[in-house]
Amino acid sequence: MKWEYYTNPGFNSLSISSELQISNFLTTLLVNRGFNNIEKIKEFLYPELNNFRDPFDFENMEKVVEKIIEVKNRNGKIFIYGDYDVDGITAAVFLTHSLKNIG
């Protein structure tokens, strides 16, 4: 298997790579994924909490929070089921750790 990636001739990835101290390969991949300026690349590589999406934008989030608080108050248990792929496992582990941290 041979990996191929395309370069954008109108984009100076070497200067961005140098400025951010990342590989030119990574810069090219990010540009090809739509991160077409240095600010977007910085936001992706070095995220800040205030740039994350508001979790209450998700449907029924209020109900979810109420249920978690209800279960916590009655010392109940929550079953966490995650998909078996990388993002599913990662999400399940993150949720497990987060819920353990709040008791």
Side-chain angles (χ1 to χ4, degrees), residues 31-97:
V31 169
N32 289 340
R33 299 293 186 278
F35 298 91
N36 55 6
N37 65 52
I38 195 163
E39 290 308 314
K40 286 184 179 181
I41 293 172
K42 281 182 183 178
E43 285 177 15
F44 179 77
L45 293 177
Y46 312 108
E48 296 181 13
L49 281 177
N50 60 347
N51 291 336
F52 287 129
R53 189 174 157 189
D54 183 353
F56 285 91
D57 288 343
F58 290 104
E59 187 177 339
N60 295 320
M61 182 57 79
E62 292 86 4
K63 291 179 183 177
V64 171
V65 171
E66 288 172 12
K67 182 55 96 173
I68 291 171
I69 292 170
E70 174 191 322
V71 171
K72 181 183 185 312
N73 288 339
R74 63 179 167 83
N75 294 319
K77 293 185 177 188
I78 296 175
F79 180 79
I80 298 171
Y81 178 82
D83 202 356
Y84 57 88
D85 57 6
V86 172
D87 58 328
I89 293 169
T90 303
V93 169
F94 180 79
L95 184 57
T96 300
H97 284 287

